[in-house]
Amino acid sequence: MATTSQVYRSTRSSDKETKTFEEVVIQGLAKDGGLFIPPTIPQVSQETLFSKWSKLSFQELAFEIMRLYIDSNEIPDADLKQLINRSYSTFRSTEVTPLVKNVTGNNENLHILELFHGPTYAFKDVALQFVGNLFEYFLQRTNASLPESEKKQITVVGATSGDTGSAAIYGLRGKKDVSVFILYPTGRISPIQEEQMTTVPDKNVQTLSVKGTFDNCQDIVKAIFADKDFNKRHNVGAVNSINWARILAQMTYYFYSYFKAIEGKDQSAVKVKFVVPSGNFGDILAGYFAKKMGLPVEKLVIATNENDILDRFLKSGDYERSDEVAATLSPAMDILISSNFERLLWYLARENLAGNDDLKAGEIVNGWFHELKSNGKFQVGQAVIDGALKDFASERVSDEETAATIKKIYEESVNPKKYVLDPHTAVGVCASKRLIAADNNASINYISLSTAHPAKFAEAVNNALSSFEGYSFEKDVLPEELKKLSTLPKKLKFIEKADIELVKAAIDEELAKMDL
Ligand SMILES: *Cc1c(COP(=O)(O)O)cnc(C)c1O
């Protein structure tokens, strides 16, 4: 396939400066505070989709997609293939992201896309396994041409409330010239979450258990990023949800699952809707790119919990942050602002307000986010909402409905029987069920994304299911591999006060010991 020479720009810039893929991955966030995007979205013909791509393995498909976004001068074919194969060799399923078809027996065409077969049992592995290898690849290449004394190392620092730290750790463990420090609030994450993070023995990984709250941890990480001196010494980096490579890696499963869902059916006679449990909008944004590339998706449905900024936006055009985050049964979606949403806004502004002018789109988005900063909200107007509604719909799901959905699917499922949803997946499945009832159209297939294994959210799952006779978490839900974690030695450093100086001193001390 011919490669385009792909360049990237910031969602907020009104100048012509562009970046390469490598710069975008290593830098993460643009200097003007914006996010990196490819101004033109590569197009794939229906012919290529249905006579070629539909027959490919997950890895082969990943290669075809990524090739369109990464110039082959930056990563040659052979290297890109190797990066992809290495990244997905850690998954427990040969299909990487298998589709469980027709979970319920009611002719609903409800399919569950299992994204949790990676090392940490959650969907973020699909992206972070790849990003970890990419970091290492770029660093090694840069260092190969530098004298020993000037070799570059990256110190990744992050905070977690429990759900996402392990995916970053498993993505970066054992990687050359990269170290990773993850802060979490002592006693405020679940035992299984703590075990997943602290039992990784690689010397470049260190967890820091900080006496305080998640907000304390996050504030410390922000302060570390702002500390020029510390940054200069350690080259501090992040692998957070706005990194473009994460979005790119997530596109593959939209294509892959689409082809699985329509297998054996007349493609022109079926419609496909994706339903995506959303927080920072990274997962569903990958679906938007897939659709814009040419995958004939009918709708992308945003499913939110009670933290519903996205649902409110689609209904009113107001993008407005609440004062407080609501703590729900689906904590990985408990957000005030959806960081990746800015990328969609850029394309919407460009198409609907800027007459397809890149520079003007950047000015508009910049204006909106300045308003958000000073007033806590902005309003985009009807043209932009109408634009968004061509591709998206949204549903908000309460905790009660989430628990009821876990129960309902456990009772109703036939393929396999007694299927157990995690609470994030249940938010999506509840939204899917609503659509199935409202659409009442047997030609529509619903692909509901499953973002975590139920064992990771034991409390919510057990509360929903413990009243069923014969239900056992240990027997029916908990995988052997996770059971074993509690027997492994833990590696963590306790920080007895939420204080930036203590954390910096701990990182200094541990980095010296790591001797990378
Ligand atoms: C991160 C996460 C989500 C939300 O994904 P976004 O890309 O932030 O929208 C949903 N479920 C689980 C389990 C997650 O870890």
Side-chain angles (χ1 to χ4, degrees):
M1 180 152 300
T3 66
T4 49
S5 66
Q6 193 59 263
V7 292
Y8 290 84
R9 61 180 306 113
S10 163
T11 48
R12 294 194 199 176
S13 83
S14 50
D15 66 44
K16 290 204 178 73
E17 194 198 7
T18 56
K19 297 267 179 193
T20 66
F21 179 72
E22 176 171 356
E23 289 166 332
V24 159
V25 172
I26 297 295
Q27 202 179 314
L29 197 68
K31 286 215 170 66
D32 56 16
L35 278 61
F36 291 117
I37 34 149
T40 51
I41 300 179
Q43 298 298 302
V44 185
S45 70
Q46 298 300 297
E47 159 77 18
T48 299
L49 280 177
F50 291 102
S51 62
K52 290 201 187 125
W53 285 23
S54 61
K55 300 179 180 71
L56 300 180
S57 69
F58 183 97
Q59 288 85 343
E60 291 166 338
L61 199 44
F63 173 78
E64 295 297 330
I65 296 163
M66 290 181 184
R67 186 72 293 166
L68 298 176
Y69 288 92
I70 308 168
D71 201 293
S72 51
N73 294 322
E74 284 198 75
I75 306 181
D77 283 1
D79 290 5
L80 183 57
K81 281 183 187 161
Q82 206 181 38
L83 282 167
I84 291 167
N85 288 337
R86 195 135 45 89
S87 301
Y88 299 114
S89 67
T90 55
F91 279 61
R92 293 175 300 279
S93 166
T94 49
E95 288 198 77
V96 185
T97 61
L99 187 71
V100 181
K101 286 168 83 166
N102 292 311
V103 173
T104 54
N106 318 331
N107 281 328
E108 291 182 319
N109 288 322
L110 174 60
H111 315 305
I112 306 238
L113 173 54
E114 294 185 340
L115 303 175
F116 56 71
H117 295 284
T120 77
Y121 290 78
F123 109 92
K124 291 194 173 62
D125 289 330
V126 181
L128 284 169
Q129 286 292 301
F130 178 69
V131 170
N133 285 320
L134 207 51
F135 260 58
E136 185 181 54
Y137 177 80
F138 286 139
L139 266 178
Q140 292 300 106
R141 194 164 63 181
T142 306
N143 284 342
S145 60
L146 294 174
E148 196 59 41
S149 61
E150 287 169 35
K151 291 214 186 305
K152 237 174 108 176
Q153 294 183 338
I154 294 184
T155 307
V156 170
V157 183
T160 183
S161 55
D163 311 310
T164 55
S166 55
I169 287 175
Y170 275 79
L172 295 169
R173 65 183 293 187
K175 300 288 179 253
K176 295 184 199 79
D177 295 320
V178 185
S179 57
V180 53
F181 291 86
I182 300 292
L183 285 67
Y184 67 90
T186 307
R188 289 175 195 245
I189 68 175
S190 78
I192 216 164
Q193 290 170 338
E194 185 172 47
E195 285 162 11
Q196 276 192 310
M197 289 195 288
T198 58
T199 55
V200 174
D202 302 70
K203 72 172 184 178
N204 73 327
V205 173
Q206 182 64 52
T207 49
L208 302 173
S209 175
V210 179
K211 192 167 179 197
T213 63
F214 169 60
D215 285 334
N216 294 149
C217 293
Q218 211 166 24
D219 287 345
I220 291 173
V221 170
K222 276 188 201 149
I224 284 176
F225 274 92
D227 187 326
K228 285 212 175 73
D229 224 43
F230 194 79
N231 247 291
K232 206 167 176 179
R233 253 188 305 137
H234 295 312
N235 201 11
V236 181
V239 289
N240 47 28
S241 64
I242 51 92
N243 198 297
W244 166 252
R246 287 179 65 167
I247 310 294
L248 178 58
Q250 287 163 193
M251 290 178 203
T252 310
Y253 52 74
Y254 284 90
F255 289 92
Y256 189 72
S257 63
Y258 180 100
F259 297 132
K260 291 286 167 198
I262 67 158
E263 220 167 38
K265 296 178 184 169
D266 172 8
Q267 181 257 317
S268 60
V270 276
K271 295 192 167 93
V272 173
K273 291 189 178 182
F274 282 96
V275 184
V276 187
S278 296
N280 273 320
F281 206 73
D283 193 350
I284 197 166
L285 184 71
Y288 175 76
F289 280 95
K291 188 169 192 290
K292 290 291 161 182
M293 285 165 78
L295 190 69
V297 175
E298 178 74 10
K299 266 299 187 273
L300 296 158
V301 183
I302 303 164
T304 77
N305 63 24
E306 288 159 39
N307 297 291
D308 59 352
I309 182 165
L310 294 171
D311 186 56
R312 284 183 283 122
F313 173 83
L314 274 197
K315 296 199 159 93
S316 67
D318 286 326
Y319 196 69
E320 180 171 17
R321 68 192 304 159
S322 326
D323 296 330
E324 257 182 80
V325 185
T328 72
L329 294 179
S330 43
M333 289 148 61
D334 289 347
I335 46 93
L336 283 177
I337 291 287
S338 291
S339 49
N340 275 297
F341 195 59
E342 180 167 344
R343 287 194 164 107
L344 174 65
L345 285 170
W346 188 86
Y347 291 103
L348 291 174
R350 183 176 181 273
E351 252 171 58
N352 300 291
L353 300 175
N356 291 321
D357 183 316
D358 294 350
L359 304 184
K360 214 161 155 194
E363 270 170 42
I364 294 168
V365 171
N366 193 33
W368 284 338
F369 279 86
H370 273 100
E371 232 178 291
L372 183 69
K373 200 165 180 194
S374 43
N375 305 332
K377 65 174 174 185
F378 59 81
Q379 158 67 243
V380 298
Q382 198 57 41
V384 170
I385 306 175
D386 290 346
L389 290 173
K390 284 185 205 148
D391 298 313
F392 292 95
S394 73
E395 296 289 337
R396 174 191 196 271
V397 174
S398 70
D399 270 359
E400 291 70 33
E401 292 169 306
T402 302
T405 303
I406 297 174
K407 277 196 184 113
K408 197 173 169 62
I409 293 297
Y410 184 78
E411 284 180 299
E412 254 187 7
S413 55
V414 291
N415 178 38
K417 282 205 165 81
K418 296 195 172 140
Y419 192 79
V420 179
L421 302 175
D422 106 287
H424 303 80
T425 308
V427 168
V429 170
C430 179
S432 301
K433 284 278 196 181
R434 274 189 214 157
L435 296 166
I436 290 168
D439 292 342
N440 190 22
N441 180 341
S443 71
I444 304 180
N445 281 248
Y446 299 83
I447 300 180
S448 214
L449 274 58
S450 175
T451 52
H453 189 286
K456 290 201 81 165
F457 298 92
E459 199 180 326
V461 170
N462 287 335
N463 282 342
L465 299 181
S466 57
S467 63
F468 286 101
E469 203 179 320
Y471 167 77
S472 157
F473 180 76
E474 299 276 321
K475 251 188 24 244
D476 304 337
V477 181
L478 190 61
E480 279 303 318
E481 195 185 358
L482 290 183
K483 241 179 248 181
K484 269 190 275 180
L485 287 181
S486 63
T487 65
L488 300 177
K490 280 190 185 151
K491 185 171 107 179
L492 63 96
K493 199 175 174 89
F494 189 65
I495 310 285
E496 66 261 42
K497 200 170 134 217
D499 178 82
I500 179 174
E501 295 307 324
L502 289 180
V503 171
K504 275 168 31 186
I507 293 176
D508 272 327
E509 191 188 327
E510 291 301 322
L511 271 175
K513 275 196 244 165
M514 282 176 191
D515 186 28
L516 298 177

